[in-house]
Amino acid sequence: MSAEPYKVADIHLADFGRKEIQLAEHEMPGLMATRAEYAESQPLRGARITGSLHMTIQTAVLIETLVALGAQVRWASCNIFSTQDHAAAAIAVGPDGTPDDPKGIPVFAWKGETLDEYWWCTVQALTWPNGEAPNMILDDGGDATLFVHKGAEYEAAGAVPSPSETDSEEWVVILDKLRDSLADAPGKWTKAVETIKGVTEETTTGVHRLYEMHKAGSLKFPAINVNDSVTKSKFDNKYGCRHSLIDGINRGTDVLIGGKVALVLGYGDVGKGCAESLRGQGARVIVTEIDPICALQAAMDGYQVSTLDDVVGQVDIFVTTTGNKDIILAADMAKMKHQAIVGNIGHFDNEIDMAGLAATPGIKRVNVKPQVDEWRFPDGHTIIVLSEGRLLNLGNATGHPSFVMSNSFTNQVMAQIEIFTKPEAYPVGVYTLPKHLDEKVARLHLDALGVKLTVLSKDQADYIGVPVEGPYKPDHYRY
Amino acid sequence: MSTDAPRRYRTVPGLAELGDGRISYAERSMPLLAALASRFAAERPFDGMIIAACLHVTAETAVLVRALRAGGARVRLAASNPLSTQDDIAAALASGDGVEVFARAGVDRDTYYEHIALALGADRPGGIGDAEGPDLVLDDGGDLVSTLHTRARPEVLDRVRGGCEGTTTGVLRLRRMAADGTLAFPVIAASDTPVTRLVDNRHGTAQSVIDGLLRASGILLAGKTVVVAGFGACGVGIAESARALGARVVITEVDPVRALDAVLRGFLVLPLADAAPIGEVFITATGSTDVITGQHLAVMRDGAILANAGHFDVEIDVRALAALAVGVQSDVRPHADAYELADGRRLLLLAEGRVVNLVAANGHPPEVMDLAFGIEALTLARLARTSQRLPAAVHPVPSDIDAEAAQMVLAALGTRTDSLTPAQRAYLASWRLGS
């Protein structure tokens, strides 16, 4: 296995990356306040964190915050398109290094990885020097967690199974990587699952995997579901996507959104943010849902709620936000309007059936520019697919703005500290962050916005039965 | 013609006091008219003049009337809608202020026109146009001006220095009168200023039409499909407000420019024939006639609600509705009549198809009327002071009046604005400076 210290697209982009990191630091007050608060106590000293999370400028501020709290870190991106190459270069070089003498952290990420390269990068991030294993995982989508679990499972079974005909291309790659690993370093993943104190998981998709694993009894270490912190899910999923969806569509296509018919598939937090921003730009938004509560919410917010089948021929812009698979199939795309725009903002690329699209007889793909493809059907009509069906806000734009990510990532740091410093409080299972930490994350962001908080009097606090300093809401409260 | 109809009206004890209290309450939200009342009291622009006015008799109208009277005018006031008079306000103006008021809520069509004739002096010995004919007229919908032209002698029309019209509907009528040579004196179209279009139609109508709709129907708007016929300034405001309350809004239009505006704001635009079967609430705001007809009523959903925001009751074909119906339950709620159709469907008509924001609610909030009426008051003062009468035509409000009114409202709100510097003025006036 390679022993490269890092692998990025172009190490000479580091200066540009460092400038953007400095701009982002100003927009990430929660992370910067965390650095100040824990500068002395160094709660993450001794932590060996493997991170699998979009290697962006904002993530760079997260990584350097973890380092500032005493952690050692290795990093890979969790998506083949989402790396910002200047961010990766700046992290590899570090604040004190130069491109000729890099002193940063081992990062393995570049924009436009193949699936094989992507999993190679993940393995690099999980592979520590001197045969050591990571003792913490910071995951986004659950790929790092999946990999070590599958590795340990196959090590116990003695072999990696052969792929079947119906396996996805990606699963075949994962099995290949694990087969190589079992040959090179037997027992590596068994040791890893024993060493890892826990994982903090960033996103809905990964959280879903974790709950499934825990239910099946296969989860090997505790997990904190960062996604469901209020200051994560509402901010990142709703406000972040509200911002970056439009940004991605604009950068990718430059179409006027006003007057277009947009279909938002799914009306969870992400769908709500997407629908709001599309409407704000003047689009007429239609929503699809499977959940009657979310569907009713959409209707109450004034959206038409329909099915993909009913409206597929009248929609100009399709956005999948479900976290589920097989949302838009090739047969649907065949019925779309000429030059309909199709994009996904859900975590994985299985919401839009790209394989089915590519397998359509007679279809032709014309690349317009990076992350923008026009697919021409035999009947002559074309559709425009953004980021090959992967999340377009990261592929076509630069993802969530720094301020939103500061909320998400401050939760990540709190969660890392929780598990690393209090392992006894977290037996194997899936947890959300305690309410007082959620409130703390919010509090750390108020000053930067000039927010003045009203303070409860003791009498008022007693009247509603909460401490003056919080937490203010019961755990089941829905913000 | 009966000339003693108003004399028959007796106010209920306490009614005038109630109205007076509401006028005082409205005054607090009408800083522009308050400022103008002080200015008029000093300058007396209307000294010795008679102003005949045909307006919705509301608390806000009363504040306008008081400002005009502060400027020295005698005011003779009739209602501009048979249903919209607030009787307590009429009582307060008649008994406390000594205004000659000819208005009562819920009159029939003949009495309505009789009231207008009385405001024009029909109860004088010489009928309309004796020595006390109006010097200035203030109209809302054009009924007073049209009555004056059809019933008064030419010399009476000559005496009128000019008028002011407050609604789009009235302005359209006046333009037709001017086009066929009938209009005998100048009228300023006060509904048509940039500021009133913005504030009165867009914001005032929007809020009060929704208010009237909710009061009369009691429905939750969120989740409803609301069809707004007409996407002029009123329709835009209604549509945006309904959407903000969670309704899914469908627009119908005849004008391609407005329809395009609606589409670019994200509204679904459909022909009314296509919107009729899907709408749950229909609001007409066109200023036109025969917008919702029998063919549309025939295909509407059970429980569909019909309301009109346009000035006249001609936008919804109420006769066709009555003809389709096998039964009518009047006032299932105040200002809501349920029409039962032969197939069992029920359609709910609000305010008898008359202007819903005035009938079922209290019309525009006072802040909106403050601006609209302030512009009309400033315009009447300008007409009163101008020594040479303007040509007999429909004129726009002079732009300096519009700007002055906006500036006075901003001052009252405590909002400060920037002013152009001399260098900026020079830049904007010059074509020589480029990049």
Side-chain angles (χ1 to χ4, degrees), chain B residues 13 48 77-78 138 174 184 213 218 222 262 273 310 323-325 333 341 385 410 433:
Chain B
L77 175 65
L138 181 52
L174 289 165
L213 171 67
L324 278 172
R333 293 170 56 90
L341 308 190
R385 275 204 214 95
L410 286 172
L433 296 170

Side-chain angles (χ1 to χ4, degrees), chain A residues 174-449:
Chain A
I174 293 170
L175 293 178
D176 282 348
K177 290 280 172 257
L178 283 171
R179 201 170 296 108
D180 293 347
S181 167
L182 259 65
D184 283 352
K188 175 176 175 181
W189 306 113
T190 307
K191 178 180 174 187
V193 295
E194 285 164 4
T195 311
I196 291 167
K197 293 183 171 187
V199 55
T200 58
E201 169 56 51
E202 174 79 3
T203 198
T204 314
T205 304
V207 165
H208 181 72
R209 276 186 179 175
L210 288 168
Y211 283 114
E212 290 289 307
M213 287 167 75
H214 185 49
K215 207 167 111 189
S218 60
L219 187 65
K220 301 290 187 199
F221 40 75
I224 289 188
N225 162 3
V226 168
N227 181 69
D228 288 312
S229 291
V230 175
T231 47
K232 197 282 179 183
S233 55
K234 287 287 176 191
F235 287 72
D236 179 317
N237 293 346
K238 186 173 181 189
Y239 306 125
C241 290
R242 186 176 69 181
H243 165 94
S244 59
L245 171 80
I246 291 295
D247 193 10
I249 294 174
N250 282 336
R251 293 198 207 189
T253 69
D254 288 314
V255 295
L256 178 69
I257 291 171
K260 296 295 190 295
V261 178
L263 185 69
V264 175
L265 298 109
Y267 200 67
D269 280 332
V270 173
K272 288 178 174 78
C274 291
E276 186 181 348
S277 62
L278 286 163
R279 173 186 272 181
Q281 295 286 308
R284 183 158 68 80
V285 177
I286 307 174
V287 169
T288 72
E289 249 302 340
I290 50 102
D291 178 331
I293 296 178
C294 294
L296 185 59
Q297 282 184 307
M300 289 288 141
D301 289 339
Y303 299 107
Q304 179 185 349
V305 182
S306 192
T307 61
L308 177 60
D309 268 356
D310 275 11
V311 299
V312 66
Q314 50 169 297
V315 172
D316 302 293
I317 302 170
F318 295 81
V319 182
T320 55
T321 76
T322 67
N324 204 332
K325 64 173 190 165
D326 299 339
I327 305 304
I328 296 179
L329 301 177
D332 302 315
M333 292 186 264
K335 288 183 251 171
M336 287 177 182
K337 280 167 80 169
H338 183 50
Q339 298 218 332
I341 295 164
V342 184
N344 164 49
I345 197 166
H347 185 83
F348 283 123
D349 62 342
N350 53 4
E351 303 210 16
I352 300 166
D353 179 16
M354 295 305 296
L357 182 66
T360 304
I363 200 158
K364 203 174 152 213
R365 171 182 171 178
V366 181
N367 182 254
V368 179
K369 57 181 178 177
Q371 276 73 256
V372 181
D373 291 298
E374 190 177 22
W375 292 78
R376 182 176 301 278
F377 284 81
D379 67 0
H381 95 278
T382 67
I383 63 169
I384 296 162
V385 179
L386 300 177
S387 292
E388 301 182 19
R390 292 173 184 273
L391 62 188
L392 74 93
N393 59 331
L394 281 149
N396 295 88
T398 51
H400 296 324
S402 300
F403 194 91
V404 165
M405 295 318 295
S406 180
N407 278 278
S408 290
F409 288 168
T410 306
N411 275 291
Q412 278 284 8
V413 175
M414 297 295 153
Q416 287 281 324
I417 294 172
E418 274 292 293
I419 292 197
F420 188 70
T421 59
K422 297 183 205 160
E424 67 289 347
Y426 296 95
V428 174
V430 186
Y431 304 88
T432 51
L433 269 186
K435 181 77 63 186
H436 74 273
L437 291 178
D438 210 349
E439 289 179 358
K440 175 176 180 174
V441 171
R443 214 179 272 280
L444 291 174
H445 289 86
L446 296 181
D447 278 351
L449 296 175

Side-chain angles (χ1 to χ4, degrees), chain A residues 256 258-259 279 282-284 299-304, chain B residues 220 222-223 243 246-248 263-268:
Chain A
L256 178 69
R279 173 186 272 181
R284 183 158 68 80
M300 289 288 141
D301 289 339
Y303 299 107
Q304 179 185 349
Chain B
L220 175 71
R243 177 153 76 178
R248 184 155 72 88
V263 168
L264 293 184
R265 289 171 191 243
F267 293 106
L268 174 61

